[in-house]
Amino acid sequence: MTDVNGDNRDDLILQYNYGGSRYWQARLSTGSSFAYNGDWTSTTTPGVTVVGVADVNGDNRDDLILQY
């Protein structure tokens, strides 16, 4: 869990596989639950792993860090 949209609330990050692709979702915190916000990103590249979540570009929003 981390704040991905800069609202100072921790959001939920989910990963799932479907149809040969790997997907990530950021469920945004409403303060009392986590709202569906669509897929954050996806890939068909095999073996992709999340290695971290951090603000890597200085926009005050956490980014997904992937390793191939």
Side-chain angles (χ1 to χ4, degrees):
M1 293 180 56
T2 189
D3 182 13
V4 299
N5 62 347
D7 65 358
N8 294 316
R9 292 187 277 200
D10 283 340
D11 305 305
L12 182 63
I13 299 171
L14 303 174
Q15 174 184 299
Y16 68 97
N17 297 318
Y18 179 76
S21 295
R22 180 165 286 176
Y23 297 87
W24 291 272
Q25 293 180 350
R27 301 279 179 109
L28 303 179
S29 175
T30 65
S32 61
S33 66
F34 295 96
Y36 175 75
N37 194 44
D39 291 328
W40 193 3
T41 191
S42 65
T43 185
T44 57
T45 305
V48 174
T49 305
V50 174
V51 294
V53 180
D55 180 12
V56 297
N57 61 355
D59 66 355
N60 294 318
R61 296 180 181 185
D62 283 343
D63 307 297
L64 195 59
I65 303 167
L66 305 175
Q67 177 181 9
Y68 294 84

